[in-house]
Amino acid sequence: MAVSKKIVPSETRLFKPLKLGNVELQHRVVMAPLTRYRNDSDHVATPMMIKHYGDRASTPGTLIISEATGVSHTDEGDRHLPGFVSDKQVEAWSKVIDAVHARGSFFFQQIWGIGRAASSSYVKERGLKYRSSSSVPMSAEHEAPDAMTEEEIQEEIQAFVDTAKRVVAAGGDGIEIHSAHGYLLDQFLSADINQRTDQWGGSIENRSRLTLTVVKRVIDAIGAERVAIRFSPFASFQGSEKEDYLELYTYIINELKGMNANLAYISLVEPAGDPGALLMDSEAANMDKSLDFILELWDNRSPVMVAGAYKPETAALALEQHYQKWDVVIAFGRLFLANPDLVYRIKNGLELNNYVRPTFYLTDTDKGYNDYPFSDEFNKAHPEVFAAEA
Ligand code: PHB
């Protein structure tokens, strides 16, 4: 019987340095964007978030991506979600960014329009508009949103540009445009949701126009090396499933290539990463599908990030085998939440803490957020990390 050799992640491409945008990653273990509702009631980042992100940056050369952050107050969308708009919000995020940089790591802010995935009652309570590409409700239990006007679409594009500039001014290494998982930009990509008959709907070209315009305008404002984009071709979360995913993303990737600008990275969600399945800890659909058509097309123009239920060993194996032709980095969500020293633990073959799902989305508390311990080994090797906090 063949004996399969056990893979040792620290000896694989997972720990091979890689240039991404303007930064030099020391390894390919990335902290995925994670919505955690720990902002205050004005949608301002809190001190516990400074600690949370700073702790996870504790191995130098790590890329940290923020939770999805509103580009306008309308896009804050629900209680305790973040924004990057007001001076107070910018100042609070700049402290998070400083904490990450103080550990020699790097920070990209994920930015979004939230659209119909917002809480309609919360948005309206604030005197703002509950909106989407079209007036199509998320489900029978949801309210129908208003279709955005041409003027509102133009304002939203400008909000992405202005937010990207604020992130760079606050010291961020870049921004990741969220065009996935049934949030606003994805609400334009999906033919089920987008029923517009103007230049923003109908054909693949028209449905892609908002995402591509945002990318182009943001590149013009802050430079392509600071800009990344996220797509989830297979996810059905929040009504985002796309029958024409092959043609749609082939078109989008070709258009991005045509911009002749090297984005920092493209972030792609594997079939196993559908938040709809992850939230229920259940089996995802579309497990027979593959992101390879996008990687083939993109052809290593810049790194590709993949995410979706990876473990250290499966991540290492993916880089060594399935993705060996390409510069791929792996984003970890739940494992990074539960392990502030995830990179150190993987590198040293240490056991991982388990995550505790019921505490993921608590508000106004450190519980389930900053109470996952560092390993004893890390604490012994790096007393300075804690001395700095004392
Ligand atoms: C969520 O809040 O559940 C969420 C946010 C952003 C994602 C996926 C899920 O990309």
Side-chain angles (χ1 to χ4, degrees):
M1 203 168 69
V3 179
S4 64
K5 197 164 159 274
K6 200 169 174 307
I7 193 157
V8 180
S10 62
E11 293 169 5
T12 67
R13 294 173 80 218
L14 200 53
F15 283 87
K16 191 165 171 234
L18 178 68
K19 186 164 192 302
L20 175 147
N22 289 331
V23 304
E24 301 276 348
L25 304 185
Q26 291 306 306
H27 57 81
R28 300 168 187 217
V29 178
V30 174
M31 180 173 166
L34 296 168
T35 294
R36 284 292 169 268
Y37 295 92
R38 260 60 173 204
N39 300 270
D40 73 14
S41 48
D42 289 327
H43 309 276
V44 177
T46 51
M48 72 174 123
M49 289 167 57
I50 301 174
K51 175 168 170 55
H52 180 80
Y53 284 104
D55 281 358
R56 281 151 187 78
S58 52
T59 296
T62 301
L63 177 60
I64 304 287
I65 306 169
S66 80
E67 61 210 82
T69 303
V71 298
S72 72
H73 290 313
T74 304
D75 294 309
E76 288 157 357
D78 204 352
R79 284 182 180 76
H80 300 290
L81 289 178
F84 211 115
V85 181
S86 70
D87 290 349
K88 252 171 83 180
Q89 290 172 329
V90 172
E91 198 192 324
W93 275 115
S94 76
K95 290 181 187 156
V96 174
I97 296 168
D98 288 350
V100 169
H101 285 165
R103 269 99 191 251
S105 289
F106 309 109
F107 190 84
F108 269 58
Q109 192 89 37
Q110 195 194 53
I111 60 175
W112 72 359
I114 193 166
R116 71 175 195 174
S119 155
S120 55
S121 56
Y122 183 66
V123 172
K124 289 183 172 178
E125 227 171 79
R126 299 173 81 205
L128 300 167
K129 196 163 159 184
Y130 180 60
R131 61 196 197 162
S132 181
S133 51
S134 301
S135 187
V136 176
M138 194 137 72
S139 75
E141 286 79 52
H142 286 84
E143 230 179 287
D146 290 335
M148 287 170 77
T149 64
E150 175 69 28
E151 193 186 354
E152 286 165 348
I153 291 173
Q154 295 300 336
E155 279 170 12
E156 187 70 5
I157 295 166
Q158 192 61 45
F160 270 96
V161 171
D162 294 341
T163 302
K165 287 187 188 162
R166 285 189 287 267
V167 171
V168 171
D173 297 293
I175 57 102
E176 178 183 300
I177 296 163
H178 196 323
S179 186
H181 293 155
Y183 294 99
L184 183 65
L185 295 182
D186 208 25
Q187 291 162 28
F188 279 77
L189 295 184
S190 160
D192 288 349
I193 307 172
N194 182 347
Q195 308 199 338
R196 302 179 74 95
T197 52
D198 60 6
Q199 62 161 336
W200 306 103
S203 63
I204 282 180
E205 186 182 350
N206 283 355
R207 279 184 273 132
S208 307
R209 192 180 308 283
L210 182 56
T211 289
L212 290 169
T213 304
V214 167
V215 173
K216 174 139 198 354
R217 291 277 309 279
V218 171
I219 287 177
D220 290 345
I222 64 170
E225 67 284 355
R226 293 187 187 279
V227 179
I229 176 102
R230 185 172 226 209
F231 298 117
S232 56
F234 314 117
S236 58
F237 189 50
Q238 304 184 134
S240 62
E241 196 153 35
K242 297 169 198 79
E243 258 175 49
D244 58 358
Y245 74 88
L246 202 58
E247 297 79 18
L248 176 70
Y249 291 99
T250 297
Y251 173 77
I252 290 174
I253 298 298
N254 279 328
E255 288 296 303
L256 292 174
K257 285 172 77 171
M259 288 180 198
N260 251 340
N262 265 338
L263 295 171
Y265 62 90
I266 293 190
S267 169
L268 302 173
V269 182
E270 299 272 11
D274 188 338
L278 296 183
L279 284 168
M280 310 306 286
D281 274 330
S282 67
E283 195 59 33
N286 290 321
M287 289 299 284
D288 56 327
K289 307 230 165 64
S290 153
L291 296 167
D292 289 7
F293 74 103
I294 300 183
L295 284 113
E296 290 284 359
L297 268 177
W298 190 243
D299 196 23
N300 263 342
R301 282 177 169 242
S302 47
V304 172
M305 182 177 301
V306 299
Y310 278 102
K311 302 270 191 306
E313 292 74 21
T314 56
L317 201 63
L319 297 194
E320 290 295 316
Q321 296 184 358
H322 190 101
Y323 291 129
Q324 62 177 310
K325 284 196 288 183
W326 297 302
D327 293 327
V328 167
V329 300
I330 312 267
F332 295 85
R334 292 165 294 175
L335 295 185
F336 234 126
L337 168 74
N339 294 276
D341 55 349
L342 180 66
V343 180
Y344 183 90
R345 288 183 191 236
I346 298 176
K347 187 153 193 197
N348 293 285
L350 304 176
E351 281 213 12
L352 304 184
N353 298 325
N354 295 320
Y355 60 83
V356 183
R357 180 171 292 285
T359 60
F360 280 6
Y361 305 113
L362 300 179
T363 58
D364 297 315
T365 177
D366 253 342
K367 188 169 147 59
Y369 193 62
N370 283 333
D371 53 359
Y372 291 104
F374 280 81
S375 59
D376 291 341
E377 290 84 347
F378 182 94
N379 287 340
K380 280 199 200 95
H382 295 284
E384 76 285 357
V385 169
F386 300 94
E389 276 176 8

